[in-house]
Short mmCIF file of all heavy atoms in Angstrom, two decimals:
data_model
loop_
_atom_site.label_atom_id
_atom_site.label_comp_id
_atom_site.label_asym_id
_atom_site.label_seq_id
_atom_site.Cartn_x
_atom_site.Cartn_y
_atom_site.Cartn_z
N ARG W 1 -138.32 -140.98 -39.15
CA ARG W 1 -139.65 -140.59 -39.58
C ARG W 1 -139.81 -139.08 -39.27
O ARG W 1 -139.23 -138.66 -38.22
CB ARG W 1 -140.75 -141.35 -39.01
CG ARG W 1 -140.68 -142.84 -39.21
CD ARG W 1 -141.13 -143.29 -40.62
NE ARG W 1 -141.20 -144.74 -40.63
CZ ARG W 1 -140.15 -145.59 -41.00
NH1 ARG W 1 -138.98 -145.06 -41.25
NH2 ARG W 1 -140.29 -146.88 -41.03
N THR W 2 -140.61 -138.41 -40.00
CA THR W 2 -141.02 -137.09 -39.61
C THR W 2 -142.46 -137.05 -39.25
O THR W 2 -143.32 -137.61 -40.02
CB THR W 2 -140.72 -136.04 -40.71
OG1 THR W 2 -139.35 -136.07 -41.09
CG2 THR W 2 -141.13 -134.57 -40.33
N TYR W 3 -142.78 -136.50 -38.06
CA TYR W 3 -144.17 -136.58 -37.55
C TYR W 3 -144.78 -135.18 -37.42
O TYR W 3 -144.16 -134.22 -37.14
CB TYR W 3 -144.12 -137.22 -36.07
CG TYR W 3 -143.55 -138.53 -36.01
CD1 TYR W 3 -142.11 -138.64 -35.70
CD2 TYR W 3 -144.26 -139.74 -36.23
CE1 TYR W 3 -141.56 -139.94 -35.67
CE2 TYR W 3 -143.62 -140.99 -36.15
CZ TYR W 3 -142.30 -141.09 -35.83
OH TYR W 3 -141.75 -142.33 -35.83
N PRO W 4 -146.07 -135.16 -37.59
CA PRO W 4 -146.78 -133.92 -37.32
C PRO W 4 -146.98 -133.74 -35.79
O PRO W 4 -147.20 -134.76 -35.05
CB PRO W 4 -148.20 -134.05 -37.96
CG PRO W 4 -148.42 -135.60 -37.94
CD PRO W 4 -147.03 -136.18 -38.10
N VAL W 5 -146.99 -132.53 -35.28
CA VAL W 5 -147.29 -132.31 -33.87
C VAL W 5 -148.64 -131.62 -33.88
O VAL W 5 -148.80 -130.41 -34.18
CB VAL W 5 -146.27 -131.38 -33.24
CG1 VAL W 5 -146.53 -131.19 -31.73
CG2 VAL W 5 -144.82 -132.04 -33.41
N GLY W 6 -149.63 -132.40 -33.48
CA GLY W 6 -151.01 -131.90 -33.56
C GLY W 6 -151.40 -131.55 -34.89
O GLY W 6 -151.08 -132.27 -35.88
N LYS W 7 -152.23 -130.57 -35.10
CA LYS W 7 -152.69 -130.20 -36.48
C LYS W 7 -151.61 -129.32 -37.12
O LYS W 7 -151.18 -128.28 -36.58
CB LYS W 7 -154.02 -129.35 -36.35
CG LYS W 7 -154.62 -129.00 -37.74
CD LYS W 7 -156.02 -128.33 -37.51
CE LYS W 7 -156.58 -128.01 -38.89
NZ LYS W 7 -157.95 -127.26 -38.75
N ILE W 8 -151.20 -129.68 -38.34
CA ILE W 8 -150.24 -128.97 -39.05
C ILE W 8 -150.83 -128.38 -40.35
O ILE W 8 -151.81 -128.73 -40.81
CB ILE W 8 -149.01 -129.83 -39.34
CG1 ILE W 8 -149.33 -130.98 -40.26
CG2 ILE W 8 -148.36 -130.33 -38.05
CD1 ILE W 8 -148.20 -131.83 -40.71
N SER W 9 -150.05 -127.46 -41.00
CA SER W 9 -150.46 -126.86 -42.22
C SER W 9 -150.43 -127.86 -43.37
O SER W 9 -149.73 -128.92 -43.31
CB SER W 9 -149.56 -125.64 -42.56
OG SER W 9 -148.24 -126.09 -42.89
N LYS W 10 -151.14 -127.52 -44.45
CA LYS W 10 -151.10 -128.35 -45.61
C LYS W 10 -149.70 -128.41 -46.22
O LYS W 10 -149.27 -129.54 -46.71
CB LYS W 10 -152.06 -127.87 -46.70
CG LYS W 10 -153.50 -127.99 -46.38
CD LYS W 10 -154.44 -127.43 -47.43
CE LYS W 10 -155.90 -127.62 -47.12
NZ LYS W 10 -156.74 -127.02 -48.18
N GLU W 11 -148.92 -127.33 -46.17
CA GLU W 11 -147.59 -127.31 -46.64
C GLU W 11 -146.70 -128.19 -45.85
O GLU W 11 -145.88 -128.91 -46.39
CB GLU W 11 -147.02 -125.82 -46.64
CG GLU W 11 -147.75 -124.91 -47.57
CD GLU W 11 -149.09 -124.42 -47.07
OE1 GLU W 11 -149.46 -124.57 -45.86
OE2 GLU W 11 -149.81 -123.80 -47.91
N ALA W 12 -146.88 -128.25 -44.53
CA ALA W 12 -146.08 -129.08 -43.64
C ALA W 12 -146.32 -130.54 -44.01
O ALA W 12 -145.50 -131.38 -44.04
CB ALA W 12 -146.28 -128.74 -42.19
N GLN W 13 -147.64 -130.85 -44.14
CA GLN W 13 -148.03 -132.24 -44.44
C GLN W 13 -147.49 -132.67 -45.73
O GLN W 13 -147.07 -133.83 -45.92
CB GLN W 13 -149.51 -132.40 -44.39
CG GLN W 13 -149.99 -133.88 -44.54
CD GLN W 13 -149.53 -134.71 -43.38
OE1 GLN W 13 -149.82 -134.43 -42.23
NE2 GLN W 13 -148.79 -135.79 -43.69
N LYS W 14 -147.45 -131.71 -46.73
CA LYS W 14 -146.95 -132.15 -48.04
C LYS W 14 -145.41 -132.49 -48.01
O LYS W 14 -145.08 -133.41 -48.63
CB LYS W 14 -147.16 -130.97 -49.08
CG LYS W 14 -146.74 -131.30 -50.45
CD LYS W 14 -146.91 -130.21 -51.45
CE LYS W 14 -146.48 -130.65 -52.81
NZ LYS W 14 -146.64 -129.54 -53.83
N ILE W 15 -144.73 -131.82 -47.28
CA ILE W 15 -143.24 -132.04 -47.24
C ILE W 15 -143.01 -133.42 -46.59
O ILE W 15 -142.14 -134.22 -47.02
CB ILE W 15 -142.39 -130.96 -46.57
CG1 ILE W 15 -140.92 -131.12 -46.97
CG2 ILE W 15 -142.63 -130.85 -45.15
CD1 ILE W 15 -140.04 -129.97 -46.55
N ILE W 16 -143.81 -133.78 -45.59
CA ILE W 16 -143.67 -135.10 -44.88
C ILE W 16 -144.05 -136.11 -45.95
O ILE W 16 -143.30 -137.13 -46.08
CB ILE W 16 -144.61 -135.15 -43.69
CG1 ILE W 16 -144.09 -134.21 -42.59
CG2 ILE W 16 -144.66 -136.60 -43.20
CD1 ILE W 16 -145.04 -134.14 -41.38
N ASP W 17 -145.13 -135.97 -46.65
CA ASP W 17 -145.61 -137.01 -47.60
C ASP W 17 -144.62 -137.16 -48.72
O ASP W 17 -144.33 -138.25 -49.16
CB ASP W 17 -147.01 -136.57 -48.13
CG ASP W 17 -148.10 -136.54 -47.07
OD1 ASP W 17 -147.87 -137.26 -46.06
OD2 ASP W 17 -149.18 -135.98 -47.36
N VAL W 18 -144.15 -136.07 -49.32
CA VAL W 18 -143.21 -136.12 -50.43
C VAL W 18 -141.92 -136.74 -50.05
O VAL W 18 -141.32 -137.48 -50.81
CB VAL W 18 -143.03 -134.76 -51.06
CG1 VAL W 18 -141.88 -134.78 -52.14
CG2 VAL W 18 -144.35 -134.28 -51.72
N CYS W 19 -141.42 -136.44 -48.88
CA CYS W 19 -140.23 -137.14 -48.44
C CYS W 19 -140.32 -138.65 -48.39
O CYS W 19 -139.48 -139.35 -48.87
CB CYS W 19 -139.81 -136.53 -47.03
SG CYS W 19 -138.11 -137.00 -46.57
N ARG W 20 -141.46 -139.10 -47.82
CA ARG W 20 -141.69 -140.53 -47.78
C ARG W 20 -141.88 -141.07 -49.21
O ARG W 20 -141.32 -142.15 -49.50
CB ARG W 20 -143.01 -140.86 -47.00
CG ARG W 20 -143.33 -142.31 -46.87
CD ARG W 20 -144.65 -142.49 -46.03
NE ARG W 20 -144.87 -143.91 -45.77
CZ ARG W 20 -145.53 -144.71 -46.60
NH1 ARG W 20 -145.96 -144.18 -47.80
NH2 ARG W 20 -145.75 -145.95 -46.29
N GLU W 21 -142.56 -140.42 -50.08
CA GLU W 21 -142.73 -140.85 -51.47
C GLU W 21 -141.39 -140.91 -52.21
O GLU W 21 -141.23 -141.77 -53.09
CB GLU W 21 -143.73 -139.96 -52.12
CG GLU W 21 -145.18 -140.01 -51.60
CD GLU W 21 -146.07 -138.89 -51.99
OE1 GLU W 21 -145.61 -137.97 -52.80
OE2 GLU W 21 -147.21 -138.85 -51.55
N SER W 22 -140.50 -139.99 -51.90
CA SER W 22 -139.23 -139.98 -52.54
C SER W 22 -138.38 -141.26 -52.14
O SER W 22 -137.67 -141.73 -52.98
CB SER W 22 -138.44 -138.67 -52.14
OG SER W 22 -139.08 -137.51 -52.57
N PHE W 23 -138.52 -141.59 -50.88
CA PHE W 23 -137.88 -142.88 -50.45
C PHE W 23 -138.37 -144.03 -51.37
O PHE W 23 -137.62 -144.79 -51.90
CB PHE W 23 -138.18 -143.18 -49.01
CG PHE W 23 -137.84 -144.53 -48.56
CD1 PHE W 23 -136.53 -144.87 -48.24
CD2 PHE W 23 -138.74 -145.56 -48.61
CE1 PHE W 23 -136.16 -146.15 -47.85
CE2 PHE W 23 -138.44 -146.82 -48.21
CZ PHE W 23 -137.13 -147.14 -47.86
N PHE W 24 -139.72 -144.14 -51.51
CA PHE W 24 -140.28 -145.25 -52.19
C PHE W 24 -139.92 -145.14 -53.79
O PHE W 24 -139.80 -146.19 -54.39
CB PHE W 24 -141.76 -145.43 -51.92
CG PHE W 24 -142.04 -146.02 -50.66
CD1 PHE W 24 -142.41 -145.26 -49.57
CD2 PHE W 24 -141.90 -147.43 -50.43
CE1 PHE W 24 -142.60 -145.82 -48.32
CE2 PHE W 24 -142.10 -147.98 -49.19
CZ PHE W 24 -142.48 -147.15 -48.19
N ALA W 25 -139.80 -143.95 -54.25
CA ALA W 25 -139.32 -143.80 -55.62
C ALA W 25 -137.89 -144.34 -55.77
O ALA W 25 -137.60 -145.07 -56.73
CB ALA W 25 -139.39 -142.34 -56.02
N GLY W 26 -137.08 -144.12 -54.77
CA GLY W 26 -135.70 -144.53 -54.77
C GLY W 26 -135.61 -146.07 -54.73
O GLY W 26 -134.82 -146.69 -55.51
N ILE W 27 -136.38 -146.71 -53.81
CA ILE W 27 -136.18 -148.16 -53.72
C ILE W 27 -136.84 -148.94 -54.85
O ILE W 27 -136.57 -150.16 -54.89
CB ILE W 27 -136.65 -148.64 -52.32
CG1 ILE W 27 -138.14 -148.57 -52.14
CG2 ILE W 27 -135.85 -147.98 -51.24
CD1 ILE W 27 -138.61 -149.44 -51.05
N GLU W 28 -137.56 -148.25 -55.70
CA GLU W 28 -137.96 -148.99 -56.90
C GLU W 28 -136.70 -149.33 -57.73
O GLU W 28 -136.84 -150.34 -58.55
CB GLU W 28 -138.84 -148.11 -57.77
CG GLU W 28 -140.23 -147.93 -57.28
CD GLU W 28 -140.98 -149.25 -57.34
OE1 GLU W 28 -140.92 -149.93 -58.40
OE2 GLU W 28 -141.65 -149.64 -56.34
N ASN W 29 -135.59 -148.68 -57.43
CA ASN W 29 -134.34 -149.02 -58.12
C ASN W 29 -133.37 -149.78 -57.29
O ASN W 29 -132.15 -150.00 -57.66
CB ASN W 29 -133.72 -147.67 -58.58
CG ASN W 29 -134.52 -147.01 -59.68
OD1 ASN W 29 -134.50 -147.35 -60.84
ND2 ASN W 29 -135.38 -146.03 -59.21
N ALA W 30 -133.70 -150.19 -56.11
CA ALA W 30 -132.85 -150.95 -55.16
C ALA W 30 -133.02 -152.40 -55.52
O ALA W 30 -133.41 -153.26 -54.71
CB ALA W 30 -133.33 -150.64 -53.71
N ARG W 31 -132.52 -152.72 -56.68
CA ARG W 31 -132.68 -154.12 -57.16
C ARG W 31 -131.35 -154.56 -57.87
O ARG W 31 -130.58 -153.74 -58.38
CB ARG W 31 -133.75 -154.15 -58.25
CG ARG W 31 -135.11 -153.74 -57.71
CD ARG W 31 -136.18 -153.69 -58.83
NE ARG W 31 -137.48 -153.26 -58.21
CZ ARG W 31 -138.33 -153.99 -57.57
NH1 ARG W 31 -138.12 -155.29 -57.45
NH2 ARG W 31 -139.48 -153.53 -57.07
N VAL W 32 -131.17 -155.83 -57.80
CA VAL W 32 -129.93 -156.49 -58.32
C VAL W 32 -129.78 -156.04 -59.79
O VAL W 32 -130.63 -156.02 -60.56
CB VAL W 32 -129.96 -157.99 -58.22
CG1 VAL W 32 -128.86 -158.63 -59.02
CG2 VAL W 32 -129.90 -158.43 -56.75
N GLY W 33 -128.58 -155.55 -60.15
CA GLY W 33 -128.25 -155.16 -61.46
C GLY W 33 -128.27 -153.63 -61.71
O GLY W 33 -127.69 -153.13 -62.63
N LYS W 34 -129.11 -153.02 -60.89
CA LYS W 34 -129.15 -151.53 -60.97
C LYS W 34 -127.88 -150.92 -60.35
O LYS W 34 -127.13 -151.66 -59.57
CB LYS W 34 -130.34 -151.03 -60.11
CG LYS W 34 -131.67 -151.30 -60.71
CD LYS W 34 -131.98 -150.31 -61.88
CE LYS W 34 -133.45 -150.40 -62.33
NZ LYS W 34 -133.74 -149.38 -63.39
N ARG W 35 -127.57 -149.68 -60.65
CA ARG W 35 -126.44 -149.04 -60.07
C ARG W 35 -126.88 -148.15 -58.86
O ARG W 35 -128.03 -147.73 -58.83
CB ARG W 35 -125.67 -148.20 -61.06
CG ARG W 35 -124.95 -149.10 -62.09
CD ARG W 35 -123.95 -148.27 -62.92
NE ARG W 35 -123.27 -149.08 -63.86
CZ ARG W 35 -122.17 -149.79 -63.65
NH1 ARG W 35 -121.59 -149.76 -62.41
NH2 ARG W 35 -121.61 -150.55 -64.55
N LEU W 36 -125.96 -147.92 -58.01
CA LEU W 36 -126.37 -147.18 -56.76
C LEU W 36 -126.99 -145.82 -57.03
O LEU W 36 -127.97 -145.41 -56.42
CB LEU W 36 -125.08 -146.90 -55.93
CG LEU W 36 -125.28 -146.44 -54.51
CD1 LEU W 36 -126.00 -147.45 -53.63
CD2 LEU W 36 -123.96 -146.03 -53.85
N SER W 37 -126.45 -145.09 -58.04
CA SER W 37 -127.03 -143.75 -58.36
C SER W 37 -128.36 -143.81 -58.94
O SER W 37 -129.05 -142.74 -59.03
CB SER W 37 -126.03 -142.96 -59.23
OG SER W 37 -126.04 -143.50 -60.50
N ASP W 38 -128.75 -144.98 -59.32
CA ASP W 38 -130.20 -145.06 -59.79
C ASP W 38 -131.21 -144.77 -58.70
O ASP W 38 -132.23 -144.18 -58.91
CB ASP W 38 -130.57 -146.45 -60.44
CG ASP W 38 -129.63 -146.80 -61.63
OD1 ASP W 38 -129.28 -145.79 -62.32
OD2 ASP W 38 -129.40 -148.02 -61.92
N ILE W 39 -130.85 -145.19 -57.47
CA ILE W 39 -131.62 -144.86 -56.32
C ILE W 39 -131.61 -143.39 -56.08
O ILE W 39 -132.62 -142.74 -55.89
CB ILE W 39 -131.06 -145.60 -55.08
CG1 ILE W 39 -131.19 -147.10 -55.22
CG2 ILE W 39 -131.82 -145.15 -53.83
CD1 ILE W 39 -130.53 -147.86 -54.12
N SER W 40 -130.38 -142.76 -56.05
CA SER W 40 -130.22 -141.41 -55.78
C SER W 40 -131.02 -140.46 -56.78
O SER W 40 -131.65 -139.53 -56.42
CB SER W 40 -128.74 -141.05 -55.91
OG SER W 40 -127.92 -141.87 -55.10
#
């Protein structure tokens, strides 16, 4: 995980949030029958 240290900038919070969202976008494709690169 990536954590904020105290109060952080909006830009720093955005990169944390988008990284997490990217993971969840990836695992939408982590399903039987899909190919590995669909996650990527």
Side-chain angles (χ1 to χ4, degrees):
R1 304 284 187 270
T2 301
Y3 303 94
V5 182
K7 185 177 181 180
I8 63 173
S9 68
K10 290 180 180 179
E11 292 79 11
Q13 187 62 58
K14 182 178 179 182
I15 195 172
I16 292 174
D17 293 342
V18 170
C19 193
R20 182 179 185 277
E21 291 162 7
S22 297
F23 167 85
F24 283 99
I27 67 161
E28 283 296 314
N29 295 277
R31 299 175 185 277
V32 170
K34 290 280 193 176
R35 291 193 180 272
L36 189 70
S37 73
D38 295 335
I39 299 172
S40 308

